Amino acid sequence: MSNFRDTGHLFRFAGIFVAAILIFLAIRGWLVPHTFGQYGHYRGAALNEIAAKPVHFAGHQSCETCHADIAEKKSSGKHASVHCEACHGPLAAHADDPSIQPAKIDTAVLCAQCHETSAAKPKGFPEVETASHSNGVSCETCHQPHSPALEAGGAQ
Amino acid sequence: MNMTRRQMLVLLPAAAVAWESLLAGTPESSPNYEQTQHWWGMLIDIPKCIGCGNCVRACQSENDVPDGYFRTWVERYHVTDTNLANPEVISPDGGKHGFPAAVEDSGKYFFVPKMCNHCADSPCTQVCPVGATFVGPDGVVLVDQKYCLGCAYCVQACPYGCRYIHPTKRVADKCTLCYHRITKGLTTACCEACPTGARQLVDLKNPKDPIHAFLKTHAVQVLKPQMATGAKAFYNELDGSVR
């Protein structure tokens, strides 16, 4: 023991070292968010924050609870696979509060978006050259949007 | 020194309590959603896509995507016998308003919807210097926009070009696989709006999901498999010319 003289500076050094570690831990505890590392190298709370964003498309199940008649009609027609909001647009606000009126649809634009003739479309998808097919008459004068095929009364 | 320690000891539980109450205060986003019970992906059925652009529009209104930026977009390929290796690809405004009419010729046309592949071994999450982007416990690649610095490393790292810096928030932004919807039992906005079922949300951990039968019976690929990203956007009948 007596071999070591002037050990004071070692203790001072150790003191500074310990203080530095404690300051580091304090700053780290203050800067790193509480849920960081809950699931991995990220803030766990972010998952719930992202999940809490508002929904704009209510989903077809929601529409079908109130508009069962239309859902019924649609499910037996050619548009069975086309969900309500594919045509009507996002209507979660309306589904929450039906007094909010959905916007009217311009069928000249809507129907052409899917049905306008193009060689790029998969073979077998029903296509028409809207301009010559309808002659400017709006599509729903002949086709019902919710069940568009013309079985009876169509030009054979 | 004692002061710092004491402050820390006082501050930490206080912060913890504050956090806990903050978390409890957020709307019950997912009352009985169990993160570990899911492993999400997307099935994209190329022969069914008609290029209507419904998915692009739906995504933009569901997620308030700024004009000119895309979390999902649709490309139209035109492959002829002279440009097999370098086909003509167009995506006017991301396909948001559909595509110009194409005329029949000797080549072939098809549409390829693109989006974040929600890679299991994602290059974008690996380069983030602060842990602001990550693969969640349910396999969805997300950005913690409160934590993101906007350094754009991830934008460069994504091999699929699926990320951008949000023009006003100045942080990384990308497809969340509609995390706010799938945690509530809804499908994504793009799948909801797709008229032909060309896009389908799939849950690889759900043994009843039709994806398992589909994968067995179809020629399904991912984009850039050579990058070994563990991509989970599965493309049915993907043409070899697609980059």
Side-chain angles (χ1 to χ4, degrees):
Chain A
M1 258 172 248
S2 55
N3 289 350
F4 294 109
R5 281 178 291 126
D6 301 332
T7 50
H9 71 285
L10 289 179
F11 286 113
R12 276 197 299 281
F13 187 74
I16 291 171
F17 195 70
V18 169
I21 288 181
L22 286 176
I23 290 170
F24 169 76
L25 287 177
I27 293 176
R28 187 176 179 279
W30 178 57
L31 285 181
V32 175
H34 177 50
T35 57
F36 202 94
Q38 188 181 359
Y39 304 108
H41 188 69
Y42 56 91
R43 207 165 55 89
L47 285 171
N48 274 347
E49 285 168 25
I50 296 169
K53 290 192 173 151
V55 163
H56 296 290
F57 282 82
H60 58 108
Q61 299 94 337
S62 157
C63 316
E64 286 159 8
T65 53
C66 292
H67 295 283
D69 49 334
I70 292 177
E72 173 79 35
K73 184 176 182 189
K74 192 168 76 66
S75 64
S76 55
K78 289 279 186 183
H79 276 163
S81 71
V82 188
H83 295 157
C84 314
E85 286 161 307
C87 293
H88 287 282
L91 282 182
H94 163 77
D96 285 344
D97 174 9
S99 67
I100 298 174
Q101 276 283 326
K104 284 279 172 234
I105 296 173
D106 182 359
T107 47
V109 176
L110 175 81
C111 310
Q113 256 164 10
C114 288
H115 288 293
E116 189 68 64
T117 306
S118 169
K121 291 202 170 135
K123 306 284 165 276
F125 186 80
E127 302 165 23
V128 290
E129 224 154 80
T130 48
S132 60
H133 174 79
S134 70
N135 272 320
V137 182
S138 83
C139 311
E140 75 260 42
T141 20
C142 301
H143 301 277
Q144 297 175 27
H146 300 136
S147 180
L150 300 170
E151 290 95 17
Q156 283 298 306
Chain B
M1 198 173 87
N2 269 341
M3 273 311 284
T4 18
R5 197 196 256 145
R6 182 175 297 156
Q7 272 176 349
M8 184 181 76
L9 288 176
V10 170
L11 269 175
L12 268 187
V17 169
W19 256 119
E20 231 66 79
S21 65
L22 236 169
L23 288 184
T26 48
E28 60 337 329
S29 51
S30 37
N32 35 34
Y33 178 77
E34 196 59 65
Q35 272 137 354
T36 51
Q37 298 305 305
H38 304 274
W39 194 249
W40 299 107
M42 182 77 80
L43 174 65
I44 298 175
D45 203 344
I46 304 246
K48 285 191 180 165
C49 181
I50 60 170
C52 64
N54 252 10
C55 51
V56 184
R57 290 189 296 274
C59 178
Q60 300 215 312
S61 47
E62 179 72 31
N63 297 299
D64 304 315
V65 180
D67 249 352
Y69 295 82
F70 302 93
R71 292 186 180 192
T72 184
W73 68 98
V74 182
E75 293 171 358
R76 186 175 85 187
Y77 278 67
H78 183 204
V79 187
T80 62
D81 18 1
T82 53
N83 72 357
L84 267 175
N86 191 21
E88 179 203 348
V89 186
I90 62 166
S91 185
D93 207 2
K96 191 175 167 183
H97 308 292
F99 290 82
V103 279
E104 198 71 57
D105 64 7
S106 60
K108 62 176 171 186
Y109 290 95
F110 52 89
F111 298 101
V112 184
K114 295 250 179 106
M115 60 180 285
C116 171
N117 291 251
H118 293 282
C119 307
D121 305 307
S122 167
C124 57
T125 61
Q126 287 165 28
V127 299
C128 181
V130 296
T133 184
F134 53 88
V135 187
D138 36 14
V140 181
V141 179
L142 295 170
V143 179
D144 179 353
Q145 298 200 326
K146 284 195 187 149
Y147 219 56
C148 174
L149 305 169
C151 73
Y153 278 1
C154 58
V155 177
Q156 294 198 32
C158 175
Y160 307 103
C162 296
R163 288 173 171 253
Y164 55 88
I165 296 292
H166 192 287
T168 52
K169 296 186 201 159
R170 307 304 309 163
V171 292
D173 203 22
K174 70 178 284 296
C175 164
T176 62
L177 205 63
C178 284
Y179 199 67
H180 59 300
R181 300 176 60 85
I182 62 178
T183 50
K184 296 183 182 80
L186 295 166
T187 188
T188 65
C190 55
C191 293
E192 183 66 39
C194 179
T196 60
R199 310 175 74 121
Q200 282 162 46
L201 178 72
V202 300
D203 182 357
L204 297 163
K205 268 198 191 165
N206 178 358
K208 294 201 197 81
D209 197 296
I211 181 69
H212 303 294
F214 194 93
L215 287 175
K216 270 187 209 153
T217 49
H218 290 76
V220 176
Q221 277 187 56
V222 295
L223 295 176
K224 306 194 182 179
Q226 73 276 16
M227 309 275 305
T229 54
K232 290 194 266 93
F234 304 106
Y235 285 83
N236 183 35
E237 290 189 31
L238 187 72
D239 194 84
S241 63
V242 176
R243 289 156 298 184

